[in-house]
């Protein structure tokens, strides 16, 4: 049986926390920032935890089974 490879896109976008949760960054914070308010840009700067509905998909992409 062939090796299971980790998705290169996923390993650049997600990190594991110490407790095993998956961290992600917010979207909409890379360009066209002039029309966004300071508050919106500040809130997009923080990392977030992947929602439980998507955890299985992300774990499969990262080969964490």
């Amino acid at each position: 049986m062939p090796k299971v490879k980790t998705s290169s896109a996923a390993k650049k976008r997600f990190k594991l926390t110490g407790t095993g949760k998956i961290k992600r960054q917010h979207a909409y914070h890379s360009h066209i920032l002039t029309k966004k308010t300071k508050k919106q840009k500040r809130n997009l700067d923080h990392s977030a935890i992947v929602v439980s509905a998507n955890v299985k998909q992300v774990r499969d992409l990262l080969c964490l089974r």
Side-chain angles (χ1 to χ4, degrees), residues 15-34:
K15 299 274 185 269
L16 282 177
T17 64
T19 56
K21 294 177 183 174
I22 303 170
K23 284 197 311 187
R24 66 171 179 85
Q25 294 297 318
H26 286 280
Y28 307 109
H29 192 60
S30 58
H31 60 96
I32 313 176
L33 298 174
T34 53

Side-chain angles (χ1 to χ4, degrees), residues 3-51:
K3 289 182 180 179
V4 180
K5 290 192 175 181
T6 299
S7 165
S8 292
K11 69 185 173 189
K12 294 170 189 172
R13 286 169 173 77
F14 301 105
K15 299 274 185 269
L16 282 177
T17 64
T19 56
K21 294 177 183 174
I22 303 170
K23 284 197 311 187
R24 66 171 179 85
Q25 294 297 318
H26 286 280
Y28 307 109
H29 192 60
S30 58
H31 60 96
I32 313 176
L33 298 174
T34 53
K35 63 177 76 171
K36 294 172 186 151
T37 64
K38 289 179 186 177
K39 180 179 179 180
Q40 185 179 5
K41 290 185 279 193
R42 183 173 64 246
N43 289 335
L44 289 173
D45 199 34
H46 304 297
S47 59
I49 301 294
V50 173
V51 178

Side-chain angles (χ1 to χ4, degrees), residues 52-65:
S52 59
N54 297 329
V55 168
K56 184 181 182 304
Q57 293 170 321
V58 176
R59 288 184 76 85
D60 288 344
L61 289 170
L62 293 172
C63 298
L64 294 174
R65 290 267 145 172

